[in-house]
Amino acid sequence: MHWSDRIAQEIIRRRPDKEEYVCAAGISPSGSIHIGNFRDIATSYFVVKALRRQGKKARLLFSWDEFDRLRKIPVNVAKIARPEGEKPWDEYIGYPYVDVPNPYDDGCPNYAKHFENEFEEAMERFGIHMDYRYQAEMNRSGKYAQYVIHALKKRGEIFDILDSFRTQSAQEGERENYYPVSIYCPHCRRDTTKILSLSDDCTVAEYECACGHKGTFDFTKDFNCKLAWKIDWPMRWMYEGVDFEPGGKDHASPGGSYDTSRVIAKKIFDFEAPIFQGYEFIGIKGATGKMSGSSGLNLTPDTLLKLYQPEMILWLYAKSEPTKAFDFCFDDGILRQYFEFDKQYNDFMEGKGDEFLNTVMANCLLETGEEDGKPVYRKIETVPMSLLVQLGSVVDFNVPMLETVFGKIGQPFTYEQFKDRLDRAKYWLEQCSPENVNRLRPYRNWEVYETLNEEEKKEIALLHDYIKNGGYDLDELNQELYAIPKKVMGELQDPKELKKIQGQFFKNVYRLLIDKEKGPRLYLFLYAIEPEKYVSLLDFSTPMTEEEKQSLIKEEPAPEETEKKQVPLGEPDPVEPIREEIDIEEFSRMDMRVCKVLKCTEIRKSHSCYKLTLFDGLKERVIVSSIKSYYTPEEMIGKKIIVIANLKPARFSGVTSEGMLLAATNNACGCQVIFVDDIVPEGTRIC
């Protein structure tokens, strides 16, 4: 059974007679919405679809937390100059997002609305329709006023609940001075206010602001205030009747936001908290080339839609348990993902899918209508993305030429069939994988040709003559490519030796044509392109032209701006004898687990140590490691390493270290940290 169906069954079991179920999600419009946040929507969306499959009415409620305070200025926004005479961006910190000016000239009335519109337009492309709640309007219209007053009346009980989840003891007077609400100052518009006193009926407060303003706030008439997060969240569960809501693993951790808010929901608002599903964060593999933070290309759903079809994005979320991490691929892993999706989609359409696959596809495919009581899905043309990438780059994504090429190789796809993927293939190549663009050289590569031995030169000449004479079909060309080395070298008895020679021949052809040792399948490549476009690149029977001579004159490479610090190495250390034997019980006492490096910072006055902040699958921990001479902080951040997690804490360079990373140290290589493939989840034990 799919995980969304299991959750739907539990929702129905808890409230079997409810007329309409509510699955919620919410995001603060602090900037462009990142793909990691999209898991919030996708998880609830799949549960809504599961409830509907079980004959229930359900809706997807989405809250824009636009009434939250602006905490920091995103890098891309900070680069946008403020108009002359207007205050700088950092002076808006503490404002609610809806009161911050829009950085962009797009007609949106404020900062929040720009990012909300950006995201909502992307959701339409996914076919996801949500019931939106804009929390600035909800608060400022007074819809929550009675619940704010109720929370103020229960402020002592709320403090006790919050305090029960803290590790530190409350300070004297802290409970009496606790108020679960923030007032936005009418003078400076920030939430830097402090309540000084509250009337007996908890409706009127005296307050002062850090800006110097003092005033009286009537909670029955003034609504420019907001409950603190862990009180606001359960209040809204009660107000909207929420049955299910997911959240990041930080909220799901024991004693985290959900645990706290669940108790507040029951004890303060008399509401049973919704079923909660924590989810793992999303990874990115191969974000290279122009896909960098400095380029302004944010990893938003809109960016992903330039690479993936919407059904594929939903498919990646749907087929993974929420607690499992997965990666969006900006490297050639995306081609494998397209291949896997196409196979599963075709199996589903042909009725070959099992229950799990059928549910995954029902969750991710876009519905266009209904027929005989069953949904009708948008048709997807499964033109191989790898072929579009390989052949598209050769013909510069010229549509008529691509159609011709596909016809020549016996796969006559038309533009109508591959148009939905064409721009995505081109975008991936140019933005994420420019090194995989295959372009024919403008002239012969004498530099490579002169390195070939006589037999290899004869192979190139035979290939040139064969291509020039023409009259072959695809299979004949493929056979000839493997036969040419045999004609030059004679029949070899050792098949491994023959395979090696044939492989070198293929490399030589690629190098002469596209300056690479690998490329598209060679027989398809040579058959797809018009011979007159490349046959001259295989003909070395005439002297070098002046243009070719000029191409051999190379400029000296510019020196690197900064050279990485080199640690002197030497001869290998003597190999030490094996230590005394231990039994399996002694070994099992050692807790070695995979951790992800979140931060790597220098330690003041330490010449050799870094302070590394890690996530070990359960919580953050700090270790100190003397790897400063071998790695920069940038080389460590985001990597996964192995740590002895149950090593007794010790202090180094003034920092308490909660473990030790695994590394190999030898005079011949220095200190080499043992890194783990990113696919391995944090917290995985090393056995």
Side-chain angles (χ1 to χ4, degrees):
M1 181 184 292
H2 190 264
W3 57 264
S4 63
D5 290 316
R6 289 198 305 269
I7 293 172
Q9 286 184 358
E10 176 62 14
I11 291 170
I12 295 168
R13 187 193 65 77
R14 288 181 68 185
R15 296 181 177 129
D17 300 323
K18 192 172 183 185
E19 183 178 339
E20 182 182 55
Y21 296 100
V22 178
C23 299
I27 297 172
S28 172
S30 55
S32 291
I33 307 306
H34 192 276
I35 57 165
N37 299 120
F38 184 64
R39 197 162 203 176
D40 215 55
I41 294 95
T43 305
S44 273
Y45 174 63
F46 298 145
V47 174
V48 166
K49 296 193 83 171
L51 285 164
R52 290 171 180 168
R53 281 195 298 272
Q54 296 181 41
K56 300 298 182 179
K57 190 176 179 182
R59 63 187 170 96
L60 178 52
L61 176 74
F62 184 87
S63 286
W64 279 117
D65 293 326
E66 58 185 11
F67 207 44
D68 289 358
R69 73 191 304 271
L70 176 68
R71 297 183 181 279
K72 62 179 180 180
I73 309 298
V75 175
N76 58 332
V77 173
K79 292 178 180 178
I80 300 173
R82 297 286 295 129
E84 188 175 351
E86 298 288 339
K87 58 187 178 184
W89 286 117
D90 58 3
E91 291 190 22
Y92 288 100
I93 291 175
Y95 276 48
Y97 290 113
V98 288
D99 291 348
V100 179
N102 180 9
Y104 304 97
D105 185 20
D106 59 5
C108 289
N110 55 60
Y111 182 101
K113 200 63 181 173
H114 167 82
F115 294 112
E116 289 167 0
N117 284 357
E118 179 183 78
F119 186 74
E120 288 176 20
E121 287 168 8
M123 290 304 96
E124 287 297 317
R125 295 168 66 187
F126 283 94
I128 297 177
H129 306 291
M130 296 187 278
D131 184 7
Y132 289 101
R133 290 286 183 275
Y134 301 91
Q135 291 303 323
E137 187 276 330
M138 295 296 290
N139 277 275
R140 284 175 168 168
S141 66
K143 289 183 172 67
Y144 298 150
Q146 62 176 307
Y147 307 113
V148 171
I149 294 170
H150 177 73
L152 286 167
K153 290 178 179 179
K154 298 277 188 175
R155 63 193 182 97
E157 293 173 52
I158 292 172
F159 179 87
D160 293 338
I161 294 169
L162 296 174
D163 189 53
S164 69
F165 285 93
R166 298 197 307 180
T167 55
Q168 294 179 331
S169 300
Q171 300 297 310
E172 186 177 351
E174 190 177 351
R175 187 177 190 274
E176 291 74 18
N177 294 317
Y178 170 74
Y179 299 94
V181 64
S182 295
I183 296 170
Y184 282 108
C185 176
H187 181 71
C188 72
R189 304 176 74 176
R190 296 186 180 90
D191 66 344
T192 51
T193 57
K194 179 182 179 182
I195 293 177
L196 303 174
S197 64
L198 187 65
S199 63
D200 291 340
D201 63 357
C202 297
T203 60
V204 179
E206 299 293 329
Y207 70 92
E208 66 177 359
C209 181
C211 72
H213 174 77
K214 294 184 178 181
T216 300
F217 195 91
D218 186 339
F219 292 101
T220 66
K221 300 175 183 177
D222 303 327
F223 309 128
N224 200 31
C225 62
K226 182 183 181 298
L227 287 171
W229 161 241
K230 292 179 183 178
I231 299 91
D232 185 57
W233 197 20
M235 181 274 291
R236 285 192 269 153
W237 288 340
M238 178 268 300
Y239 185 90
E240 300 286 358
V242 177
D243 298 287
F244 171 73
E245 183 164 2
K249 63 184 181 183
D250 49 345
H251 293 315
S253 61
S257 298
Y258 175 73
D259 275 359
T260 307
S261 297
R262 177 174 55 82
V263 176
I264 290 173
K266 185 65 177 175
K267 292 188 175 181
I268 305 302
F269 296 108
D270 193 26
F271 182 77
E272 193 71 37
I275 292 171
F276 181 79
Q277 175 62 62
Y279 56 75
E280 183 57 77
F281 300 131
I282 306 302
I284 294 291
K285 289 191 74 174
T288 58
K290 297 179 184 177
M291 195 63 64
S292 63
S294 60
S295 70
L297 290 171
N298 295 307
L299 299 178
T300 64
D302 187 62
T303 299
L304 281 184
L305 286 166
K306 291 180 172 69
L307 294 164
Y308 292 89
Q309 291 169 286
E311 294 91 341
M312 272 196 69
I313 297 173
L314 291 172
W315 168 74
L316 285 167
Y317 284 104
K319 73 188 185 78
S320 304
E321 288 276 349
T323 53
K324 302 293 184 184
F326 68 87
D327 293 317
F328 284 102
C329 294
F330 289 75
D331 58 11
D332 58 7
I334 193 172
L335 304 180
R336 294 189 293 274
Q337 289 176 332
Y338 265 96
F339 176 82
E340 184 185 353
F341 173 80
D342 288 351
K343 184 179 184 306
Q344 292 192 7
Y345 172 78
N346 289 327
D347 284 347
F348 171 73
M349 296 303 291
E350 294 167 11
K352 299 177 182 176
D354 58 20
E355 180 188 0
F356 182 83
L357 173 59
N358 291 341
T359 305
V360 167
M361 286 299 166
N363 279 343
C364 74
L365 297 181
L366 306 186
E367 297 180 16
T368 59
E370 193 174 284
E371 191 174 293
D372 297 329
K374 295 182 179 179
V376 176
Y377 301 108
R378 183 177 85 109
K379 185 180 180 183
I380 298 173
E381 298 287 354
T382 54
V383 178
M385 184 60 111
S386 57
L387 269 183
L388 269 177
V389 165
Q390 291 176 1
L391 302 180
S393 69
V394 173
V395 299
D396 199 24
F397 292 93
N398 179 287
V399 170
M401 290 183 70
L402 255 180
E403 289 184 326
T404 301
V405 166
F406 276 125
K408 283 176 121 182
I409 63 174
Q411 300 191 56
F413 296 119
T414 64
Y415 175 64
E416 282 300 311
Q417 291 175 294
F418 61 69
K419 67 180 181 181
D420 204 27
R421 292 186 173 182
L422 183 62
D423 287 343
R424 291 181 169 97
K426 185 177 181 181
Y427 187 85
W428 176 72
L429 269 177
E430 294 177 350
Q431 299 291 338
C432 306
S433 189
E435 70 279 2
N436 284 320
V437 175
N438 298 308
R439 300 200 189 282
L440 291 169
R441 285 178 53 83
Y443 33 74
R444 294 173 294 179
N445 193 336
W446 284 93
E447 190 173 14
V448 168
Y449 184 74
E450 294 298 345
T451 66
L452 305 182
N453 60 38
E454 290 305 312
E455 287 81 6
E456 290 171 330
K457 289 178 179 179
K458 287 179 184 177
E459 292 171 346
I460 299 302
L462 285 174
L463 177 60
H464 166 265
D465 293 344
Y466 185 80
I467 299 295
K468 185 177 180 181
N469 292 333
Y472 49 80
D473 62 23
L474 184 61
D475 288 337
E476 289 169 343
L477 174 59
N478 192 31
Q479 292 170 12
E480 185 65 18
L481 288 172
Y482 285 96
I484 284 175
K486 295 180 184 178
K487 293 178 181 179
V488 174
M489 304 300 296
E491 290 292 337
L492 297 174
Q493 298 299 317
D494 185 354
K496 289 184 179 179
E497 183 65 22
L498 174 60
K499 188 174 181 180
K500 180 180 177 182
I501 292 170
Q502 288 170 330
Q504 186 59 49
F505 168 55
F506 280 43
K507 284 183 182 179
N508 293 339
V509 176
Y510 284 126
R511 292 168 70 201
L512 292 171
L513 295 181
I514 60 174
D515 283 326
K516 299 180 185 178
E517 290 194 347
K518 294 190 297 183
R521 284 173 288 181
L522 190 57
Y523 75 107
L524 292 179
F525 181 69
L526 298 180
Y527 194 77
I529 311 168
E530 298 299 326
E532 56 267 25
K533 290 185 178 292
Y534 68 87
V535 70
S536 62
L537 299 177
L538 301 171
D539 182 11
F540 291 86
S541 62
T542 58
M544 192 182 303
T545 65
E546 285 301 315
E547 187 179 28
E548 289 170 338
K549 289 177 182 177
Q550 287 297 317
S551 73
L552 296 177
I553 302 173
K554 296 182 179 179
E555 296 182 5
E556 287 295 318
E560 293 286 337
E561 290 185 10
T562 57
E563 291 188 9
K564 186 177 177 181
K565 183 179 178 181
Q566 296 293 320
V567 178
L569 304 177
E571 292 298 316
D573 295 333
V575 178
E576 295 183 3
I578 303 296
R579 293 178 179 175
E580 64 180 279
E581 289 184 352
I582 60 172
D583 58 31
I584 192 66
E585 185 178 342
E586 290 175 285
F587 175 77
S588 64
R589 290 179 59 202
M590 189 179 296
D591 189 327
M592 293 186 290
R593 62 179 58 212
V594 174
C595 298
K596 185 171 184 176
V597 181
L598 304 177
K599 298 177 186 175
C600 178
T601 56
E602 296 192 14
I603 300 174
R604 187 169 174 264
K605 295 185 179 181
S606 175
H607 298 293
S608 61
C609 293
Y610 282 139
K611 174 185 173 183
L612 293 115
T613 304
L614 316 171
F615 179 67
D616 63 13
L618 299 172
K619 65 180 182 66
E620 290 186 8
R621 68 170 57 231
V622 170
I623 67 168
V624 176
S625 185
S626 56
I627 57 173
K628 190 173 180 180
S629 300
Y630 302 92
Y631 296 91
T632 64
E634 293 73 22
E635 289 175 311
M636 295 299 299
I637 295 172
K639 296 291 179 61
K640 291 186 178 178
I641 60 176
I642 300 172
V643 170
I644 302 175
N646 62 340
L647 193 64
K648 187 176 180 179
R651 287 186 68 79
F652 301 96
S653 302
V655 178
T656 299
S657 181
E658 303 170 291
M660 180 185 294
L661 62 76
L662 265 59
T665 305
N666 193 295
N667 193 42
C669 64
C671 178
Q672 299 295 317
V673 175
I674 298 174
F675 294 110
V676 180
D677 193 287
D678 199 48
I679 196 174
V680 183
E682 298 97 320
T684 301
R685 286 284 306 272
I686 304 299
C687 299

